[in-house]
Amino acid sequence: MSDANEPTGAVEPDAGTTGAGTAGGPAAATGAAGSAGADAPSGAVTANDPAGAPDPAGSAPGRRVRVVLVDDHRMFRTGVQAEIGQTERTGVEVVGEAADVDQAVTVITATRPEVVLLDVHLPGGGGVEVLRRCSPLMADAEQPVRFLALSVSDAAEDVIGVIRGGARGYVTKTITGTDLVDSVFRVQDGDAVFSPRLAGFVLDAFASTDAPPVDEDMDRLTQREREVLRLIARGYAYKEIAKQLFISVKTVESHVSAVLRKLQLSNRHELTRWATARRLV
């Protein structure tokens, strides 16, 4: 269950869009962006670069990279678009957006961007499912589509899952706009890019034969549903969860119902056993 208002359909690219782009060229989400809800993600791209600041180190004058944003929070996509999508300054042209797996595959296939900024937890199967369905585009020798995970999650299983799926890197949503632009250009060049702490997960995983597997059940849950799941498993009452997450009790109840349905469990006691077995408590 997503906590922010979602667009009703995938953003269709402008048929006349080219790699050069203009500052006003990127496609916009259908409808005006609504107010951020109480369940909006806590992580966000930090707006540290004033307008007119020097171009990020990764972008040379006149260089362009076409990007698709995939995230189920519209307000976050809007913030990223505003922060890095000033094409004449940053060299980044946002050519499309998507809020779930099906939209993402449709928009990526239609626009063939150089880089996709991909959230890990998406309705419809998560970022790993987007990577699976876009694997032929990643393997295209002439015009490869490369993926950079951009997520609020810093869990080892999320990082390892998308890297195994073919992503070229993984950064968290606390990244600054300047560093995000630099990361996008590095991924376009074929480099691997990670937030410093996350790089250790990948090194450990691929150096070990007992790396944590991708948990398909967990991947069905949104980030907020995971937070509620952990608190329920720790014995918190609904009112306590609502207070801790700054959401209403009714919203907590909705999240718990969604978690039980997705995991095919009957009650919070089964949910607690499920979470304990996976060492989530």
Side-chain angles (χ1 to χ4, degrees):
M1 174 177 179
S2 179
D3 298 314
N5 293 330
E6 319 300 350
T8 56
V11 175
E12 295 298 335
D14 184 344
T17 300
T18 65
T22 63
T30 304
S35 299
D39 293 353
S42 57
V45 173
T46 324
N48 286 347
D49 341 329
D55 285 345
S59 59
R63 188 175 178 188
R64 293 289 185 266
V65 58
R66 300 170 70 252
V67 171
V68 164
L69 306 178
V70 180
D71 192 289
D72 63 339
H73 292 90
R74 179 184 293 178
M75 289 302 293
F76 181 77
R77 297 197 310 272
T78 300
V80 174
Q81 165 87 359
E83 181 69 17
I84 73 171
Q86 302 174 40
T87 309
E88 293 305 315
R89 182 172 70 86
T90 66
V92 175
E93 180 186 5
V94 178
V95 297
E97 301 179 8
D100 59 35
V101 170
D102 289 340
Q103 288 180 18
V105 174
T106 298
V107 173
I108 294 166
T109 301
T111 60
R112 298 294 294 266
E114 282 87 27
V115 177
V116 177
L117 289 176
L118 179 69
D119 194 10
V120 175
H121 303 293
L122 296 167
V128 172
E129 179 64 13
V130 175
L131 291 165
R132 186 187 69 79
R133 291 168 60 178
C134 290
S135 56
L137 301 180
M138 289 189 281
D140 188 330
E142 297 295 324
Q143 190 181 354
V145 176
R146 296 188 168 102
F147 288 79
L148 173 62
L150 175 62
S151 177
V152 71
S153 170
D154 61 359
E157 64 267 23
D158 290 336
V159 178
I160 295 164
V162 295
I163 297 305
R164 281 178 170 165
R168 296 293 305 174
Y170 194 118
V171 295
T172 60
K173 289 180 178 179
T174 55
I175 192 171
T176 65
T178 298
D179 287 344
L180 182 56
V181 171
D182 180 65
S183 297
V184 166
F185 276 98
R186 288 172 60 192
V187 167
Q188 182 192 26
D189 289 338
D191 293 344
V193 179
F194 298 92
S195 294
R197 193 172 81 86
L198 306 186
F201 294 157
V202 178
L203 291 174
D204 291 345
F206 287 93
S208 172
T209 58
D210 57 353
V214 176
D215 190 328
E216 295 183 359
D217 288 332
M218 280 292 288
D219 203 48
R220 295 190 184 99
L221 306 182
T222 67
Q223 181 64 25
R224 180 65 84 186
E225 288 167 354
R226 290 184 181 209
E227 293 171 350
V228 172
L229 164 64
R230 288 187 175 98
L231 293 175
I232 285 287
R234 290 170 184 168
Y236 282 68
Y238 286 5
K239 288 184 179 180
E240 294 172 322
I241 296 172
K243 183 177 180 180
Q244 181 156 335
L245 298 180
F246 302 100
I247 58 179
S248 68
V249 172
K250 184 177 181 180
T251 300
V252 173
E253 293 173 349
S254 297
H255 285 314
V256 172
S257 296
V259 170
L260 292 173
R261 184 182 69 255
K262 291 179 180 180
L263 300 181
Q264 299 182 0
L265 302 174
S266 300
N267 53 56
R268 64 181 296 164
H269 299 294
E270 291 184 2
L271 188 152
T272 299
R273 289 197 296 270
W274 187 93
T276 302
R278 285 163 173 76
R279 299 179 180 178
L280 300 177
V281 181

